[in-house]
Amino acid sequence: MIRMGDRPGIARAIDSLGGQGAKLYLAFALKQIRKLKEEEAPPGTAISELIEIYDDLIESAEKRAAWDPDPACTHVHFVAGDSFAGLMKAALKQLNWKGTHKLIILPDNYAIGPLGELDSYEGRKARRDWFQDHISEDCEVFDDSDEEYKQLLDRVSKIPHQAKAIVWTSRNACERIGMLHAVRLMSGRPNGLAVYDTCQICEELINSPDVTHRFKYSGGDSGKPSADGTCPYGR
């Protein structure tokens, strides 16, 4: 529980953490405190490490919050995955649109696992259980899936009525299903909605009679054109 007397930046940083993220930060902080208590390292070193944790946590929360929908935004972009999100942020900054164009990132890997009834606790639990049974390295991460979904719904609820929602997709299962999920999240809202296929847009921009480029992923790795004049882009 965040007390009223806490600084807004600290409260926002704590609220932005999922359970696993909070555990990692707490473990690291306790490690430095133990060093101070047991004099395992010079006080200055441990204190510097604690300050670094603080700066990292506050800065990360502020950077994330800067891209959340706000009352002044005119467009909200839905993107699947952190990789494409980073490219989208860079593009919006370059266009000087950061103040009016905001981002909602769909971090889930929609290409695998059960997808039924993701808007219900039972559906999300079934998906989390599947990952715990089949993808062992993601077990701890998916412990936070329900909290992440609540944060996603909170961001969607902050989209002002005048803002246009733009959903980006491409030719792979993760982004296609992410697009469907985004459209589902926006159903019943008064906002304008548009869906753009990054693969199609890029191909229309750069293809020529001599070379045909094929894309599969938004922001995927590129390759050289093959002997038959085609260039398969993607991972």
Side-chain angles (χ1 to χ4, degrees), residues 41-52:
T45 301
I47 291 173
S48 295
E49 293 286 351
L50 286 170
I51 292 174
E52 185 176 339

Side-chain angles (χ1 to χ4, degrees), residues 189-200:
R189 295 184 58 88
N191 308 81
L193 178 68
V195 176
Y196 292 118
D197 187 324
T198 55
C199 298
Q200 180 180 346

Side-chain angles (χ1 to χ4, degrees), residues 75-186:
H75 296 75
V76 176
H77 300 260
F78 284 83
V79 298
D82 291 328
S83 177
F84 185 38
L87 294 173
M88 180 63 72
K89 289 177 182 179
L92 294 175
K93 286 179 181 178
Q94 187 175 9
L95 292 167
N96 199 28
W97 288 354
K98 181 181 177 182
T100 55
H101 287 242
K102 300 301 180 179
L103 231 60
I104 291 181
I105 303 170
L106 305 172
D108 207 347
N109 184 359
Y110 297 99
I112 57 176
L115 294 168
E117 300 182 5
L118 290 183
D119 53 354
S120 71
Y121 173 78
E122 291 75 17
R124 295 192 297 275
K125 183 178 184 302
R127 181 167 171 79
R128 182 177 67 244
D129 291 345
W130 185 92
F131 271 87
Q132 290 176 334
D133 292 339
H134 296 85
I135 314 293
S136 58
E137 63 267 26
D138 280 350
C139 285
E140 292 184 349
V141 174
F142 270 81
D143 285 342
D144 296 334
S145 59
D146 205 56
E147 181 62 30
E148 288 182 355
Y149 190 78
K150 291 176 182 177
Q151 292 175 4
L152 173 62
L153 293 181
D154 180 62
R155 292 186 180 97
V156 172
S157 71
K158 292 178 180 177
I159 300 176
H161 290 176
Q162 82 278 0
K164 182 176 182 178
I166 299 176
V167 182
W168 293 91
T169 187
S170 62
R171 296 171 184 151
N172 62 83
C174 181
E175 292 184 79
R176 282 287 179 183
I177 298 171
M179 175 266 292
L180 295 174
H181 191 196
V183 172
R184 166 82 173 182
L185 290 170
M186 291 300 297

